[in-house]
Amino acid sequence: MVERDSDAIDAIVAQWQRERPELDLEAMAILGRLGRMYQLGERAIESVFTAHGLGRGEFDVLAALRRAGEPFELNPSVLADTLMLSRAGMTSRLDRLESAGLVRRIADAGDRRAVRVALTAAGRERIDIVVAAHTRNETALLSVLSAPDRRELDRLARILLRSLEERH
């Protein structure tokens, strides 16, 4: 058996093993660690956005527009669907970004009743800076793992994600 460092999850599992020795607690330990990694990772990720004057939601909107490619415009409904947001939630994000001068709403050339959301020059500059900092941060967060370990973790995460998505 390989010795490993004990963590808070081990303490919780040990308590359950003591109280309910008949339970299989392997999944609890794994999912507990995944949950804790998510909490800690999310804090580290959010800190990059905050340092650049953005919240996660604003980053997501700017990133979706930037990923869309030239002319860096999308319909607000498409943006909402892409980010799995309600139309009202999207409107409030767009209002904040527009007030900050990072996006603008423009009339759709094909349908004057419709509107499109476009990155401004300032918005494109901001997202290019932030996404570079974000990817450096994520790389640093995973730097404790070797390249083969990162590939294996990605492979396993894909299998688990696919299974969870099929349930919903």
Side-chain angles (χ1 to χ4, degrees):
M1 179 151 167
V2 176
E3 189 176 306
R4 61 190 169 115
D5 293 334
S6 184
D7 61 20
I9 304 300
D10 287 326
I12 292 167
V13 169
Q15 290 169 335
W16 277 118
Q17 284 175 332
R18 182 189 69 232
E19 296 300 316
R20 298 288 308 274
E22 78 282 5
L23 293 177
D24 178 358
L25 301 169
E26 180 182 45
M28 179 187 283
I30 292 168
L31 292 172
R33 284 189 181 88
L34 289 173
R36 184 70 177 136
M37 284 188 296
Y38 174 80
Q39 290 173 337
L40 296 172
E42 192 64 14
R43 283 186 211 157
I45 289 167
E46 290 279 343
S47 72
V48 170
F49 303 147
T50 302
H52 292 277
L54 297 174
R56 177 62 179 239
E58 288 82 12
F59 171 84
D60 289 343
V61 171
L62 295 175
L65 289 167
R66 182 64 172 92
R67 288 191 318 263
E70 286 281 354
F72 310 113
E73 297 175 6
L74 289 172
N75 174 295
S77 297
V78 170
L79 262 174
D81 291 345
T82 299
L83 301 177
M84 296 175 274
L85 281 176
S86 69
R87 302 303 187 253
M90 179 54 63
T91 299
S92 65
R93 285 185 188 181
L94 293 177
D95 288 346
R96 287 191 303 271
L97 289 167
E98 191 170 38
S99 292
L102 301 175
V103 302
R104 61 183 163 49
R105 292 175 171 107
I106 55 175
D108 189 308
D111 180 357
R112 288 185 157 275
R113 296 167 298 164
V115 109
R116 294 184 65 76
V117 178
L119 275 178
T120 63
R124 182 171 176 193
E125 182 180 337
R126 175 85 57 92
I127 192 58
D128 282 348
I129 290 167
V130 178
V131 79
H134 174 55
T135 57
R136 284 191 306 272
N137 184 42
E138 288 183 323
T139 298
L141 291 172
L142 295 180
S143 66
V144 67
L145 300 174
S146 68
D149 286 346
R150 288 191 305 271
R151 285 190 297 274
E152 180 64 4
L153 180 59
D154 184 57
R155 185 186 73 76
L156 295 170
R158 285 173 187 271
I159 292 168
L160 183 55
L161 179 60
R162 193 173 302 119
S163 170
L164 293 169
E165 288 175 337
E166 288 171 359
R167 291 173 166 250
H168 295 307

